Coordinates of all heavy atoms in Angstrom, one line a residue:
Chain B
S84 N -16.7 -31.8 47.2 CA -17.1 -31.4 48.6 C -16.8 -29.9 48.8 O -15.8 -29.4 48.3 CB -16.3 -32.2 49.6 OG -16.7 -33.5 49.5
L85 N -17.6 -29.3 49.6 CA -17.3 -27.9 50.0 C -17.2 -27.9 51.5 O -18.2 -28.2 52.2 CB -18.5 -26.9 49.5 CG -18.4 -25.6 50.2 CD1 -17.3 -24.7 49.6 CD2 -19.8 -24.8 50.0
F86 N -16.0 -27.6 52.0 CA -15.9 -27.5 53.5 C -16.2 -26.1 53.9 O -15.8 -25.1 53.3 CB -14.4 -27.8 53.9 CG -14.1 -27.4 55.3 CD1 -14.6 -28.2 56.3 CD2 -13.4 -26.3 55.6 CE1 -14.4 -27.8 57.7 CE2 -13.1 -25.9 56.9 CZ -13.6 -26.7 57.9
T87 N -17.0 -26.0 54.9 CA -17.3 -24.7 55.5 C -17.0 -24.7 57.0 O -17.4 -25.7 57.6 CB -18.8 -24.2 55.3 OG1 -19.6 -25.2 55.9 CG2 -19.1 -24.2 53.8
P88 N -16.5 -23.7 57.6 CA -16.1 -23.7 59.0 C -17.4 -23.6 59.9 O -17.3 -23.9 61.1 CB -15.2 -22.5 59.2 CG -15.6 -21.6 58.1 CD -16.0 -22.4 57.0
R89 N -18.5 -23.3 59.4 CA -19.8 -23.2 60.1 C -20.9 -23.4 59.2 O -20.7 -23.5 58.0 CB -19.9 -21.8 60.8 CG -19.6 -20.7 59.9 CD -20.1 -19.4 60.4 NE -21.5 -19.2 60.1 CZ -22.2 -18.0 60.2 NH1 -21.5 -16.9 60.5 NH2 -23.4 -17.9 59.9
R90 N -22.1 -23.4 59.7 CA -23.3 -23.6 58.9 C -23.7 -22.2 58.2 O -23.5 -21.2 58.8 CB -24.5 -24.0 59.7 CG -24.6 -25.5 59.9 CD -26.0 -26.0 60.2 NE -26.0 -27.4 60.2 CZ -26.3 -28.1 59.1 NH1 -26.5 -27.4 57.9 NH2 -26.3 -29.4 59.0
F91 N -24.2 -22.3 57.0 CA -24.6 -21.2 56.2 C -26.1 -21.4 55.7 O -26.5 -22.6 55.7 CB -23.7 -20.8 55.1 CG -22.4 -20.3 55.5 CD1 -21.3 -21.1 55.7 CD2 -22.2 -18.9 55.7 CE1 -20.1 -20.6 56.1 CE2 -21.0 -18.4 56.1 CZ -20.0 -19.2 56.3
D92 N -26.8 -20.4 55.4 CA -28.2 -20.5 54.9 C -28.3 -20.6 53.4 O -29.2 -21.2 52.9 CB -29.0 -19.3 55.4 CG -29.0 -19.3 56.9 OD1 -28.9 -20.3 57.6 OD2 -29.0 -18.1 57.5
E93 N -27.4 -20.0 52.7 CA -27.5 -19.9 51.3 C -26.1 -20.0 50.6 O -25.2 -19.4 51.1 CB -28.2 -18.6 50.9 CG -28.7 -18.6 49.5 CD -29.4 -17.3 49.1 OE1 -28.7 -16.3 49.0 OE2 -30.6 -17.3 48.9
A94 N -26.1 -20.6 49.4 CA -24.9 -20.6 48.6 C -25.2 -20.2 47.2 O -26.2 -20.6 46.6 CB -24.3 -22.1 48.7
V95 N -24.3 -19.4 46.7 CA -24.4 -19.0 45.3 C -23.2 -19.6 44.6 O -22.0 -19.2 44.9 CB -24.5 -17.5 45.1 CG1 -24.5 -17.1 43.6 CG2 -25.7 -16.9 45.8
L96 N -23.4 -20.5 43.7 CA -22.3 -21.2 43.0 C -22.1 -20.6 41.7 O -23.1 -20.5 40.9 CB -22.7 -22.7 42.9 CG -21.7 -23.6 42.2 CD1 -20.6 -24.0 43.1 CD2 -22.5 -24.9 41.8
T97 N -20.9 -20.1 41.4 CA -20.6 -19.5 40.1 C -19.5 -20.3 39.4 O -18.5 -20.6 40.0 CB -20.1 -18.0 40.3 OG1 -21.1 -17.3 41.0 CG2 -19.9 -17.4 39.0
I98 N -19.8 -20.8 38.2 CA -18.9 -21.6 37.5 C -18.5 -20.9 36.2 O -19.3 -20.5 35.4 CB -19.5 -23.0 37.2 CG1 -19.8 -23.7 38.6 CG2 -18.5 -23.9 36.4 CD1 -20.2 -25.1 38.5
R99 N -17.2 -20.9 36.0 CA -16.6 -20.4 34.7 C -16.2 -21.6 33.9 O -15.3 -22.3 34.4 CB -15.5 -19.4 35.0 CG -15.1 -18.5 33.9 CD -14.3 -17.3 34.5 NE -13.4 -16.7 33.5 CZ -13.8 -15.8 32.6 NH1 -15.1 -15.5 32.5 NH2 -12.9 -15.3 31.8
Y100 N -16.7 -21.8 32.7 CA -16.4 -23.0 32.0 C -16.5 -22.8 30.5 O -17.0 -21.7 30.0 CB -17.4 -24.1 32.4 CG -18.9 -23.8 32.0 CD1 -19.4 -24.4 30.9 CD2 -19.6 -22.9 32.7 CE1 -20.7 -24.1 30.5 CE2 -20.9 -22.6 32.3 CZ -21.5 -23.2 31.2 OH -22.7 -22.9 30.8
R101 N -16.1 -23.8 29.7 CA -16.4 -23.8 28.3 C -16.8 -25.3 28.0 O -16.3 -26.2 28.7 CB -15.2 -23.3 27.5 CG -14.0 -24.2 27.6 CD -12.8 -23.5 26.9 NE -11.6 -24.3 27.1 CZ -10.4 -23.9 26.8 NH1 -10.2 -22.6 26.3 NH2 -9.3 -24.6 27.0
D102 N -17.6 -25.4 26.9 CA -18.0 -26.8 26.7 C -17.9 -27.2 25.2 O -17.9 -26.3 24.3 CB -19.5 -27.0 27.2 CG -20.4 -26.2 26.4 OD1 -20.9 -26.7 25.3 OD2 -20.8 -25.1 26.8
R103 N -17.8 -28.4 25.0 CA -17.9 -29.0 23.7 C -18.9 -30.2 23.8 O -18.5 -31.3 23.9 CB -16.5 -29.5 23.1 CG -16.6 -29.9 21.7 CD -15.2 -30.0 21.1 NE -14.5 -28.7 20.9 CZ -13.3 -28.6 20.5 NH1 -12.5 -29.7 20.3 NH2 -12.7 -27.4 20.3
L104 N -20.1 -29.8 23.9 CA -21.2 -30.8 24.2 C -22.0 -31.0 22.9 O -22.2 -30.0 22.2 CB -22.1 -30.4 25.3 CG -21.3 -30.3 26.7 CD1 -22.3 -29.7 27.7 CD2 -20.8 -31.6 27.2
G105 N -22.5 -32.2 22.7 CA -23.3 -32.4 21.5 C -24.8 -32.1 21.8 O -25.2 -31.7 22.8
T106 N -25.6 -32.4 20.8 CA -27.1 -32.1 20.9 C -27.8 -33.1 21.8 O -28.9 -32.8 22.3 CB -27.7 -32.2 19.5 OG1 -27.4 -33.5 18.9 CG2 -27.3 -31.1 18.6
T107 N -27.1 -34.2 22.1 CA -27.8 -35.1 23.0 C -27.5 -34.8 24.5 O -28.0 -35.4 25.4 CB -27.2 -36.6 22.8 OG1 -25.8 -36.5 22.8 CG2 -27.7 -37.1 21.4
T108 N -26.7 -33.8 24.7 CA -26.4 -33.4 26.1 C -26.6 -31.9 26.3 O -25.6 -31.1 26.4 CB -24.9 -33.8 26.5 OG1 -24.1 -33.3 25.5 CG2 -24.7 -35.3 26.6
P109 N -27.8 -31.5 26.2 CA -28.1 -30.0 26.2 C -28.1 -29.4 27.6 O -28.2 -28.2 27.7 CB -29.5 -29.9 25.6 CG -30.1 -31.2 25.9 CD -29.1 -32.2 26.0
L110 N -28.0 -30.2 28.7 CA -28.1 -29.7 30.0 C -26.8 -29.7 30.8 O -26.0 -30.6 30.7 CB -29.2 -30.4 30.8 CG -30.6 -30.6 30.3 CD1 -31.4 -31.3 31.3 CD2 -31.2 -29.3 30.0
F111 N -26.6 -28.7 31.6 CA -25.5 -28.7 32.6 C -26.1 -28.1 33.8 O -26.7 -27.0 33.9 CB -24.4 -27.8 32.1 CG -23.2 -27.6 33.0 CD1 -22.9 -28.7 33.9 CD2 -22.5 -26.4 33.1 CE1 -21.8 -28.5 34.7 CE2 -21.4 -26.3 33.9 CZ -21.1 -27.3 34.8
E112 N -26.1 -29.0 34.9 CA -26.8 -28.6 36.1 C -25.8 -28.8 37.3 O -24.9 -29.7 37.2 CB -28.0 -29.5 36.3 CG -29.1 -29.3 35.3 CD -30.2 -30.2 35.4 OE1 -30.0 -31.4 35.6 OE2 -31.4 -29.8 35.2
A113 N -26.1 -28.1 38.4 CA -25.4 -28.3 39.6 C -26.4 -28.7 40.7 O -27.5 -28.3 40.6 CB -24.6 -27.1 40.0
G114 N -25.9 -29.4 41.7 CA -26.8 -29.8 42.8 C -26.1 -29.9 44.1 O -24.9 -30.1 44.2
V115 N -26.9 -29.8 45.2 CA -26.4 -30.0 46.5 C -27.2 -31.1 47.2 O -28.4 -31.3 47.0 CB -26.5 -28.6 47.3 CG1 -28.0 -28.2 47.6 CG2 -25.8 -28.7 48.6
L116 N -26.5 -31.9 48.0 CA -27.1 -33.1 48.6 C -28.0 -32.6 49.7 O -27.6 -31.9 50.6 CB -26.0 -34.0 49.2 CG -26.5 -35.3 49.9 CD1 -27.2 -36.2 48.9 CD2 -25.3 -36.0 50.6
K117 N -29.3 -33.0 49.6 CA -30.3 -32.7 50.6 C -30.5 -33.8 51.6 O -30.8 -33.6 52.7 CB -31.6 -32.3 49.9 CG -31.6 -31.0 49.1 CD -31.7 -29.8 50.1 CE -31.5 -28.5 49.4 NZ -32.0 -27.4 50.1

Side-chain angles (χ1 to χ4, degrees):
Chain B
S84 296
L85 168 73
F86 168 75
T87 62
R89 49 162 276 196
R90 277 201 168 272
F91 288 92
D92 300 327
E93 193 182 70
V95 178
L96 181 74
T97 305
I98 297 187
R99 198 163 154 77
Y100 68 99
R101 63 186 177 195
D102 66 85
R103 189 168 287 175
L104 300 173
T106 51
T107 56
T108 51
L110 304 185
F111 177 32
E112 297 175 319
V115 66
L116 182 64
K117 287 282 173 165

